Amino acid sequence: QVQLVESGGGLVQAGGSLRLSCAASGPSFSSYTVAWFRQAPGKEREFVASVNWSGGITNYADSVRGRFSISRDNAKNLVYLQMNSLKVEDTAVYYCRLGIYWGQGTQVTVSS
């Protein structure tokens, strides 16, 4: 059983930054790819970024590439999403996912 807990969301002005964290409990965290998704009101959940088990391979949605950075610390069972140059359209609930497991999400609101 894997549990994922996101944190770090909040309210920020456009152009600002936030760093989200995803804390994982359970076995074999360091063996799996972890991804961030987001869901804005009235929209489907969408992929944001992923990082492979070692942290050496990352992927990003076109909408965030160059502004967001995903990383992980396997010693601490943590995955981070550094979000810079935030835009109003980045407003959403952000979720981390490991395999079939999802966290409860953290709200990010970007004001104009």
Side-chain angles (χ1 to χ4, degrees):
Q1 183 75 16
V2 173
Q3 290 187 326
L4 303 169
V5 179
E6 302 94 336
S7 61
L11 174 64
V12 63
Q13 286 191 328
S17 298
L18 283 174
R19 189 177 80 158
L20 305 184
S21 298
C22 174
S25 62
S28 303
F29 166 80
S30 60
S31 300
Y32 292 96
T33 292
V34 178
W36 285 96
F37 285 73
R38 66 186 182 187
Q39 188 166 19
K43 295 188 176 182
E44 294 187 353
R45 193 170 297 188
E46 64 175 3
F47 169 80
V48 175
S50 66
V51 59
N52 78 325
W53 67 274
S54 70
I57 299 175
T58 56
N59 288 289
Y60 297 93
D62 289 344
S63 58
V64 307
R65 187 174 290 111
R67 300 188 297 122
F68 290 12
S69 177
I70 188 170
S71 61
R72 68 190 296 163
D73 184 338
N74 286 340
K76 297 181 179 180
N77 278 20
L78 287 169
V79 174
Y80 303 104
L81 185 68
Q82 177 67 44
M83 307 186 295
N84 300 326
S85 303
L86 282 161
K87 304 176 180 180
V88 171
E89 50 264 42
D90 294 320
T91 295
V93 178
Y94 284 71
Y95 300 89
C96 66
R97 187 191 79 178
L98 189 160
I100 62 171
Y101 301 98
W102 293 85
Q104 83 291 346
T106 186
Q107 176 71 48
V108 171
T109 303
V110 184
S111 63
S112 59

